Amino acid sequence: MSATDWEVFLRDIALCLSAYQDRGPAVVWPERAHTVLRGLCEEYGGEAGTGWRSAPLGTRANRLAADLSRLMGYAVDAFEHTLPAGRALAIEHRDTAVLIFSLRGGARFRIERPGSPDGERGGIELRLRAGEIFYVPAGHTCMLDDASAHCPLLLLALHATP
């Protein structure tokens, strides 16, 4: 992977965050994603069914969080998890927006916005595939399931202050 691939990938993520942050969920198709994801996958250490873990120091996932943090001007943390085939994974985060992406494979992805005072909720259901990144604003919940094979995931927690 070249430095240019990395920079273009980061630029596209930053552009999406600048446009959508705190406005609602978004899908990002960053240019050069497959080249960057291949490098991230080579260093991936998460095991199926063991839960989220911080991306180890010195890995590309950790570098991605640091570079995005520098570009956006706020802290970003990277976490890894492998969604086992045939299992579901709920992700709830009240105070932190996140970027979620699959490094390989895919899963059904449902995002629900917080309930309104009358209890009405709305949602979006999509298929998360390698090369796509989903932006999930703080307070939204999401569910991943229907993976036909183990699906290594990367989650970037965005600690932006309003």
Side-chain angles (χ1 to χ4, degrees):
M1 164 183 50
S2 72
T4 301
D5 290 342
W6 187 262
E7 290 302 319
V8 168
F9 180 79
L10 278 171
R11 181 203 64 210
D12 282 358
I13 294 171
L15 182 60
C16 176
L17 290 175
S18 295
Y20 288 98
Q21 197 142 15
D22 296 327
R23 291 191 181 109
V27 180
V28 188
W29 289 280
E31 194 172 337
R32 318 277 173 91
H34 292 292
T35 302
V36 172
L37 293 183
R38 190 170 31 252
L40 289 166
C41 220
E42 289 171 2
E43 296 179 348
Y44 186 80
E47 295 180 24
T50 59
W52 291 102
R53 72 176 197 133
S54 293
L57 292 174
T59 62
R60 287 184 179 117
N62 192 269
R63 178 180 162 212
L64 177 61
D67 287 354
L68 190 57
S69 176
R70 191 170 32 261
L71 193 60
M72 298 305 297
Y74 51 77
V76 177
D77 296 316
F79 299 92
E80 300 175 337
H81 180 73
T82 298
L83 175 64
R87 301 260 298 276
L89 173 66
I91 301 172
E92 294 188 37
H93 45 92
R94 302 206 189 289
D95 302 324
T96 307
V98 298
L99 293 169
I100 301 172
F101 46 104
S102 169
L103 300 179
R104 185 177 53 247
R108 182 174 43 210
F109 189 82
R110 177 156 178 82
I111 303 170
E112 293 190 6
R113 69 175 186 243
S116 64
D118 60 5
E120 184 180 317
R121 295 175 65 133
I124 300 169
E125 188 172 305
L126 303 163
R127 187 87 185 153
L128 172 64
R129 292 180 175 88
E132 300 168 342
I133 299 175
F134 290 171
Y135 168 72
V136 182
H140 287 62
T141 60
C142 50
M143 175 70 72
L144 290 110
D145 64 6
D146 195 30
S148 58
H150 287 348
C151 183
L153 304 168
L154 185 60
L155 180 144
L156 299 178
L158 311 170
H159 301 286
T161 54

